């Protein structure tokens, strides 16, 4: 209840460290005035994903701020829900994914958040009915995600990726093409600003 957004942020993560967070409290923090507090609350919802009985609650709660004006908040929502294979979760994150296809920084941030789990992220997308349609932004997202995965050269991730390719139905071959184009020409890492040594 502090007037300081930094104080509220510290309190939130302190409660997490003490194991004293609960879903009701997290739900209240989703409406905090400060975007960093809201983004942290969305991040902390991930701790409940292992509890199957909580998944529908997580999706419902985060859907209430899915159109948050702050990019970081929306990105954390995608990172929280991106591995959930359900139509309701897809409806929540699809507008952000669509926007990310035209926002390189947002897209890179989202895909980096699934490092090592790119194939699971892709599998959750391709299983949804909406992803049967070859829209340009979907092609771009698939290609970028495949490229990020390929650049890491993780043999296990590549093997899972091959299984994913093999499971794509022939009538949705555009997905296969988009994924293969992504590994043929993987995206370059974003250039980072270099600061002179002190």
């Amino acid at each position: 209840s502090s007037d300081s957004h930094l104080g509220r942020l510290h309190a939130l993560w302190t409660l997490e460290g003490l194991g004293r967070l609960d879903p009701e409290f997290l739900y209240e923090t989703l409406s905090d005035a400060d975007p960093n507090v809201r983004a942290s609350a969305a991040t902390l919802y991930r701790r409940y994903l292992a509890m199957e009985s909580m998944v529908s609650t997580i999706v419902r709660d985060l859907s209430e701020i899915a159109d948050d004006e702050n990019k970081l908040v929306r990105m954390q929502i995608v990172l929280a829900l991106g591995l959930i294979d359900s139509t309701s979760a897809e409806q929540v994150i699809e507008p952000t994914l669509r926007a990310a296809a035209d926002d390189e920084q947002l897209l890179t941030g989202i895909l980096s958040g699934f490092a090592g789990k790119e194939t699971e992220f892709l599998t959750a997308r391709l299983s949804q009915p909406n992803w049967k349609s070859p829209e340009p932004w979907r092609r771009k997202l698939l290609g970028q995600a495949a490229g990020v995965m390929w650049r890491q050269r993780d043999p296990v991730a590549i093997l899972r990726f091959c299984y994913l390719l093999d499971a794509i139905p022939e009538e949705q071959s555009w997905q296969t093409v988009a994924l293969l184009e992504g590994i043929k020409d993987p995206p370059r890492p974003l250039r980072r600003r270099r600061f002179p040594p002190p």
Side-chain angles (χ1 to χ4, degrees):
S1 60
S2 169
D3 289 335
S4 163
H5 68 275
L6 193 57
R8 297 195 304 276
L9 191 62
H10 286 170
L12 180 63
W13 285 98
T14 299
L15 287 171
E16 156 67 7
L18 294 171
R20 300 292 299 273
L21 276 180
D22 63 68
E24 287 185 21
F25 178 75
L26 268 183
Y27 177 71
E28 290 176 16
T29 22
L30 290 176
S31 58
D32 193 276
D34 184 73
N36 293 305
V37 176
R38 297 195 303 275
S40 290
T43 300
L44 290 170
Y45 262 88
R46 286 189 246 173
R47 72 195 309 263
Y48 298 108
L49 287 174
M51 300 166 59
E52 200 169 318
S53 61
M54 287 291 298
V55 171
S56 59
T57 300
I58 295 169
V59 173
R60 184 193 67 226
D61 289 358
L62 293 180
S63 71
E64 295 186 17
I65 60 163
D67 59 351
D68 195 282
E69 61 186 21
N70 187 273
K71 187 186 297 187
L72 177 61
V73 176
R74 297 193 307 273
M75 183 175 79
Q76 291 303 327
I77 292 169
V78 173
L79 295 179
L81 302 182
L83 298 180
I84 298 176
D85 186 355
S86 80
T87 304
S88 55
E90 186 68 25
Q91 288 172 345
V92 173
I93 66 175
E94 183 169 295
T96 301
L97 294 178
R98 182 189 291 269
D102 292 320
D103 184 334
E104 186 179 2
Q105 189 175 27
L106 177 59
L107 183 58
T108 302
I110 289 172
L111 296 177
S112 298
F114 291 107
K117 294 188 175 181
E118 295 90 354
T119 302
E120 290 87 340
F121 171 74
L122 290 169
T123 301
R125 306 286 69 73
L126 298 185
S127 68
Q128 300 304 314
N130 287 354
W131 280 81
K132 292 179 180 177
S133 170
E135 298 177 46
W137 74 269
R138 297 187 198 278
R139 290 180 188 273
K140 184 171 183 181
L141 188 74
L142 292 180
Q144 291 278 78
V148 168
M149 178 278 304
W150 190 256
R151 218 173 42 224
Q152 295 174 36
R153 298 293 194 262
D154 178 351
V156 176
I158 291 172
L159 182 62
R160 289 199 300 256
F161 180 74
C162 290
Y163 278 113
L164 171 64
L165 287 173
D166 189 54
I168 295 174
E170 188 175 341
E171 62 270 18
Q172 291 167 219
S173 59
W174 70 268
Q175 297 172 348
T176 306
V177 172
L179 291 167
L180 291 175
E181 284 177 347
I183 64 173
K184 182 185 77 171
D185 186 23
R188 288 175 291 187
L190 284 179
R191 293 176 60 188
R192 299 185 184 279
R193 180 179 296 169
R194 296 185 181 275
F195 294 96

